[in-house]
Amino acid sequence: MSYLHPLFTNWQAFINKFFSKFRGFNTVAEAERKLVSLRMSTYKHFTVFIVQFKKKAYKTDWNYNALRFQL
């Protein structure tokens, strides 16, 4: 491997490659973060929002009361 490779000369290229390899290690925490940040916007249909909510909720270990509070 050449030392002129972008991973050795460009910090942002290194960071991008690093996160592409090691991202998603803690899938529960990532799902919780996405669930907390999920918002119903004016252009979304309620059914689309609920499907997204349920997909993210499935990956967490939250009980019914916690999910209802977050909804």
Side-chain angles (χ1 to χ4, degrees):
M1 185 178 279
S2 170
Y3 287 105
L4 298 177
H5 193 276
L7 294 179
F8 295 120
T9 59
N10 183 326
W11 179 252
Q12 192 59 46
F14 173 79
I15 293 296
N16 291 342
K17 188 68 162 181
F18 182 84
F19 282 115
S20 73
K21 296 293 181 185
F22 297 104
R23 189 175 191 187
F25 180 71
N26 192 347
T27 55
V28 172
E30 188 174 336
E32 289 174 351
R33 181 183 55 78
K34 288 180 180 179
L35 187 64
V36 169
S37 65
L38 186 64
R39 298 285 179 256
M40 176 72 187
S41 57
T42 56
Y43 64 88
K44 279 187 186 174
H45 291 282
F46 184 70
T47 53
V48 173
F49 173 78
I50 289 297
V51 168
Q52 290 176 343
F53 184 87
K54 287 189 175 213
K55 280 183 180 179
K56 290 166 182 46
Y58 179 76
K59 296 178 183 176
T60 66
D61 291 327
W62 293 7
N63 64 19
Y64 175 77
N65 290 331
L67 290 171
R68 190 179 64 185
F69 178 78
Q70 184 59 42
L71 186 61

